[in-house]
């Protein structure tokens, strides 16, 4: 047992590929918190995030044999989670177009409404939390992803670039554009006493 | 120099992504403009606000569910090719990306160059998708169905579908095959192009030449999901209502095989989200229509912001 916990990620992955049951469990234990953090911030909704996380770990479980060891296991896992989030977002947009009127969707949306509505916190802390999350959902997914990785999770630009498989310059410009888009939504958090008009001098890219 | 600097340019400046000339003019302006200086300061604080955001902890129920899903997978492995996208992996599709320039966009048209860079990089991102093939939904649906079967009751309960795994199973499968239309649905792409009135014809020509080789031929009928274009990214979110809009704007002898989810900046206006419809007439000539998403509201023709003839690809 102890041995497994001390092994590096790559060794765990190759043991898993060779059929060692304990190895993958240890990988999950090691990485699930961070993977969760990515998924919940990108998707916003806990149920969606849980689905994405499960998709991702199952994909990793199945694909371990194809891991070539050029990347860090952690980068690889992040990439898988990011892709799983993309798939979720894509499906989320497709779903409402389907006229499934059965109770399932009602139940789901009720659950979701409850989940969002039932967290008021006297300290006002969750207010800000919801505001930031809601603001994040207003910006394009690519920008949101870059900001989640770089600004929220604190990864270096080159790490985020490895995860997203784009050039570091692209990560930077996505972050920059995302911050500019977020600004109008976040202005009140930063300086409650200051009026909103500072954010958008010529009505530029601030969206309603 | 007298006009204010928009937030995006200020943000790019903070990241060091502007060329020298533009950076200089931004600095000169900001030095004498408290309004823009305020915005720049506020932009600098956005990262901090995001970083301070507490991480929502991983719920125990989710950990348990993960463990169960993996145990089930171990006991009864899903067929190969399940959830293909996620695992396409390590190193794949990186070729040709390594040598891409990491630097900022070029001079002056930082936005344009940057957009081009973005477009290239996103085209590159999509390379692995091609391997998934046109019929990528099929194994996916199979895997999803298998997963629901395997973890059946537990997952259904977690989703609040307590009425029984059977019902949930059916609903899910249907959800995932939404476009069983006789007419092939338009292929949706998100090329990243920022369309402009004067550039429209050339921009549309560029996008069409990337997409054309993979568009279904005229007269094709298909029940399949629209194919993906390997040279262009799919939209990360499929906007709803596109098909209504396409139907409203496509004439009898025409078809609209391609829609680009993009932005359009009218002269002197701000960039706004648009759908760019690529419509082909019977002779094979293409017209692009830049359409505001408002066209789902019932009067598609009124939502057309711009049109242009596109040279055949």
């Amino acid at each position: 047992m102890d041995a497994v916990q001390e092994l590096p990620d790559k060794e765990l992955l190759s043991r898993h590929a060779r059929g060692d049951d304990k190895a993958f469990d240890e990988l999950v234990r090691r990485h699930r918190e961070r993977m969760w953090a990515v998924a919940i911030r990108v998707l916003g909704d806990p149920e969606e995030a849980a689905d994405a996380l499960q998709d991702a770990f199952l994909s990793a479980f199945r694909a371990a044999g194809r891991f070539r060891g050029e990347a860090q296991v952690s980068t690889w896992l992040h990439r898988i989670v990011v892709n799983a989030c993309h798939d979720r977002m894509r499906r989320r947009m497709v779903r409402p177009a389907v006229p499934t009127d059965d109770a399932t969707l009602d139940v789901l949306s009720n659950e979701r409404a409850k989940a969002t509505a039932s967290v008021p916190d006297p300290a006002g802390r969750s207010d800000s939390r919801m505001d930031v999350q809601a603001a994040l959902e207003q910006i394009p997914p690519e920008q949101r992803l870059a900001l989640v990785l770089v600004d929220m999770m604190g990864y270096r630009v080159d790490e985020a670039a490895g995860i997203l498989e784009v050039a570091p310059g692209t990560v930077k410009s996505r972050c920059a554009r995302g911050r500019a888009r977020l600004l109008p939504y976040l202005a009140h958090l930063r300086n409650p006493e200051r009026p909103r008009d500072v954010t958008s001098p010529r009505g530029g890219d601030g969206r309603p | 120099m007298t006009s204010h600097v928009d937030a995006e340019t200020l943000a790019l400046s903070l990241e060091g992504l502007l060329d020298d000339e533009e950076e200089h003019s931004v600095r000169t302006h900001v030095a004498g403009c408290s309004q823009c200086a305020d915005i720049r300061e506020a932009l600098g604080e956005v990262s901090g606000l995001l970083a301070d955001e507490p991480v929502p902890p991983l719920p125990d129920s989710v950990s348990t569910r993960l463990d169960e899903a993996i145990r089930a997978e171990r006991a009864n492995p899903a067929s190969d090719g399940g959830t293909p996208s996620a695992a396409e992996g390590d190193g794949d599709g990186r070729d040709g990306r390594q040598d891409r320039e990491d630097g900022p966009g070029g001079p002056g048209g930082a936005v344009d160059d940057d957009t081009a860079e973005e477009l290239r990089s996103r085209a590159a991102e999509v390379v692995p998708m091609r391997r998934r093939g046109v019929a990528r939904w099929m194994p996916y649906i199979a895997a999803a169905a298998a997963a629901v079967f395997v973890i059946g009751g537990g997952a259904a309960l977690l989703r609040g579908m307590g009425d029984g795994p059977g019902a949930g199973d059916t609903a899910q499968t249907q959800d995932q095959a939404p476009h069983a239309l006789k007419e092939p649905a338009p292929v949706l792409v998100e090329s990243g192009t920022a369309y402009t009135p004067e550039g429209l014809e050339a921009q549309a020509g560029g996008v069409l030449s990337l997409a054309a080789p993979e568009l279904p031929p005229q007269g094709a009928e298909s029940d399949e999901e629209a194919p993906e274009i390997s040279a262009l990214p799919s939209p990360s979110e499929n906007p709803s209502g596109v098909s209504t809009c396409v139907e409203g704007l496509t004439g009898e002898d025409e078809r609209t095989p391609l829609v680009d989810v993009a932005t359009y900046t009218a002269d002197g206006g701000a960039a706004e989200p648009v759908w760019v419809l690529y419509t082909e007439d019977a002779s094979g000539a293409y017209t692009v229509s830049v359409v505001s998403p408002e066209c789902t509201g019932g009067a598609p023709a009124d939502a057309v912001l711009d049109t242009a003839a596109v040279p055949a690809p």
Side-chain angles (χ1 to χ4, degrees):
Chain A
M1 258 349 143
D2 276 355
V4 171
Q5 278 147 29
E6 281 159 23
L7 291 171
D9 285 352
K10 279 184 188 175
E11 177 59 22
L12 287 175
L13 203 58
S14 62
R15 287 197 180 198
H16 161 64
R18 293 197 304 265
D20 178 344
D21 280 1
K22 294 279 176 290
F24 197 80
D25 291 342
E26 174 62 17
L27 275 175
V28 172
R29 251 191 303 280
R30 253 178 226 185
H31 293 281
R32 64 187 172 194
E33 299 277 348
R34 312 217 97 201
M35 302 296 109
W36 167 256
V38 172
I40 185 68
R41 279 164 166 170
V42 170
L43 295 171
D45 176 71
E47 193 57 43
E48 293 265 1
D51 285 347
L53 196 63
Q54 176 174 324
D55 289 350
F57 275 117
L58 286 178
S59 297
F61 184 96
R62 293 169 195 149
R66 276 179 273 154
F67 179 82
R68 301 208 201 106
E70 294 156 26
Q72 295 292 324
V73 172
S74 146
T75 303
W76 180 71
L77 285 173
H78 276 83
R79 201 179 289 158
I80 292 174
V81 166
V82 164
N83 284 337
C85 290
H86 268 300
D87 282 349
R88 288 275 144 200
M89 287 189 274
R90 211 169 282 152
R91 252 182 291 163
R92 189 200 291 177
M93 297 317 285
V94 167
R95 206 177 289 161
V98 185
T100 22
D101 54 344
D102 49 274
T104 305
L105 289 181
D106 291 343
V107 173
L108 273 180
S109 63
N110 286 343
E111 290 292 309
R112 192 161 302 176
K114 261 186 270 164
T116 9
S118 68
V119 252
D121 169 358
R125 218 175 134 74
S126 61
D127 262 3
S128 115
R129 190 188 74 79
M130 282 164 62
D131 281 342
V132 169
Q133 187 63 47
L136 275 175
E137 288 171 33
Q138 303 304 312
I139 68 173
E142 302 293 356
Q143 295 173 5
R144 193 190 314 155
L145 268 170
L147 286 175
V148 164
L149 295 175
V150 174
D151 281 1
M152 301 185 90
M153 317 261 314
Y155 295 141
R156 293 193 316 266
V157 166
D158 62 301
E159 290 170 328
I163 291 165
L164 298 172
E165 296 190 280
V166 299
T170 305
V171 173
K172 283 190 193 176
S173 78
R174 284 179 188 175
C175 284
R177 291 174 208 279
R179 288 179 201 126
R181 286 227 197 186
L182 277 180
L183 192 54
Y185 301 105
L186 298 182
H188 65 290
L189 293 180
R190 162 187 179 243
N191 250 334
E193 77 280 8
R194 201 181 290 199
R196 275 179 78 112
D197 62 1
V198 291
T199 59
S200 178
R202 57 173 197 197
D205 52 351
R207 307 215 309 167
Chain B
M1 211 77 88
T2 49
S3 66
H4 288 303
V5 184
D6 63 82
E8 182 170 300
T9 307
L10 288 168
L12 292 168
S13 158
L14 285 170
E15 278 290 332
L17 293 171
L18 298 178
D19 64 90
D20 293 348
E21 195 183 324
E22 201 169 3
E23 181 67 33
H24 178 74
S25 81
V26 166
R27 280 186 198 197
T28 312
H29 174 84
V30 172
C33 176
S34 62
Q35 204 178 24
C36 289
D38 277 352
I39 295 170
R40 188 173 64 178
E41 194 192 329
L43 275 168
E45 292 171 17
V46 168
S47 299
L49 277 174
L50 293 177
D52 289 346
E53 196 54 15
V55 185
L58 174 68
D60 289 343
S61 62
V62 176
S63 302
T64 312
R65 181 176 149 189
L66 274 183
D67 290 344
E68 283 170 7
I70 286 163
R71 201 173 309 137
E73 172 72 17
R74 194 172 272 141
N76 193 358
S79 61
D80 201 23
T83 43
S85 61
E88 280 303 336
D90 177 38
D92 278 2
R94 279 209 229 147
D95 328 31
R97 228 172 284 168
Q98 301 290 31
D99 55 354
R100 246 195 6 260
E101 211 179 315
D102 292 353
V111 174
D112 278 347
D113 284 4
D114 214 28
T115 306
E117 153 74 9
E118 184 111 351
L119 179 53
R120 276 193 298 278
S121 74
R122 295 172 67 192
E125 276 167 40
V126 179
V127 169
M129 282 186 174
R130 180 167 212 177
R131 296 193 193 104
R132 292 190 233 160
V134 172
R136 61 179 276 260
W137 284 99
M138 293 317 294
Y140 195 75
I141 290 165
V148 170
F149 174 72
V150 169
I151 50 178
L157 281 173
L158 275 166
R159 283 158 204 245
M161 295 180 186
D163 289 344
D169 197 352
T170 316
Q172 261 209 341
T173 311
Q174 281 169 356
D175 282 354
Q176 285 162 7
H179 291 307
L181 304 175
K182 282 173 198 152
E183 287 269 312
V187 180
L188 292 184
V189 298
E190 187 173 344
S191 69
T193 308
Y195 290 90
T196 58
E198 61 281 2
L200 182 58
E201 191 179 323
Q203 290 170 322
V207 169
L208 187 59
S209 65
L210 287 172
E214 292 173 70
L215 291 175
Q218 263 193 3
E221 286 196 2
S222 169
D223 290 339
E224 281 180 18
E225 181 80 1
E228 288 176 1
I229 304 294
S230 57
L232 291 167
S234 303
S236 40
E237 298 180 3
N238 276 341
S240 60
V242 176
S243 54
T244 318
C245 196
V246 166
E247 280 167 30
L249 289 168
T250 307
E252 226 167 72
D253 295 327
E254 299 175 335
R255 62 169 196 143
T256 302
L258 179 69
V259 176
D260 188 4
V261 179
T263 63
Y264 179 75
T265 310
D267 295 315
E272 56 183 314
V274 293
W275 302 332
V276 180
L277 277 48
Y278 287 75
T279 304
E280 185 184 22
D281 68 18
S283 73
Y286 271 91
T287 310
V288 280
S289 311
V290 178
V291 179
S292 143
E294 283 160 21
C295 81
T296 52
D302 294 345
V304 177
L305 306 175
D306 201 353
T307 59
V310 190

